[in-house]
Amino acid sequence: MGATGGSVNAAAAITSDGMVIASVLQPGVDPDRFAAMSASLLALAEREIDEIQRGDLRQLLIEGTRGAVLLVQAGDDAVLAVSTEPGALMGKVFLEARRAAGEMKTCLEPT
């Protein structure tokens, strides 16, 4: 999380159907519930982008007053969820999350 200047405070690799592959989350956050909610949000966003004919979904950004959550596709069956601190350099977070999602996709591909 140092690659983003300390602005990322949690991350999870999840399947598209909401199962946890791996996670490092804040204390008190239930990984299974977080994964299920992330998968639901992503599925809804995919239907929305399809409905308005904008191609394939690449990412979804949810901003709150105390930070943001970025969901990035990592292949057809996985998602990388990244939580940021307020004031995060989002351009850098986007770049690093996309890079990590690409590596995650490669690791999860069948051999």
Side-chain angles (χ1 to χ4, degrees):
M1 300 186 207
T4 56
S7 59
V8 171
N9 58 11
I14 62 174
T15 63
S16 296
D17 59 354
M19 302 298 292
V20 178
I21 298 169
S23 67
V24 178
L25 301 170
Q26 302 98 317
V29 175
D30 180 281
D32 294 324
R33 189 171 53 227
F34 179 77
M37 288 187 288
S38 295
S40 293
L41 284 166
L42 201 64
L44 186 59
E46 286 173 335
R47 286 194 299 265
E48 173 72 13
I49 205 161
D50 185 53
E51 180 68 27
I52 60 173
Q53 302 171 4
R54 295 297 177 248
D56 296 328
L57 180 68
R58 291 188 350 190
Q59 63 196 19
L60 175 64
L61 176 65
I62 306 161
E63 290 186 282
T65 57
R66 297 191 308 176
V69 175
L70 176 63
L71 303 174
V72 182
Q73 285 288 137
D76 293 334
D77 298 320
V79 178
L80 175 64
V82 177
S83 173
T84 70
E85 306 253 349
L89 300 174
M90 291 308 293
K92 193 167 187 178
V93 172
F94 276 98
L95 288 173
E96 290 297 323
R98 283 190 203 135
R99 182 196 56 74
E103 290 178 14
M104 190 172 130
K105 177 183 176 184
T106 300
C107 290
L108 295 172
E109 287 177 343
T111 54

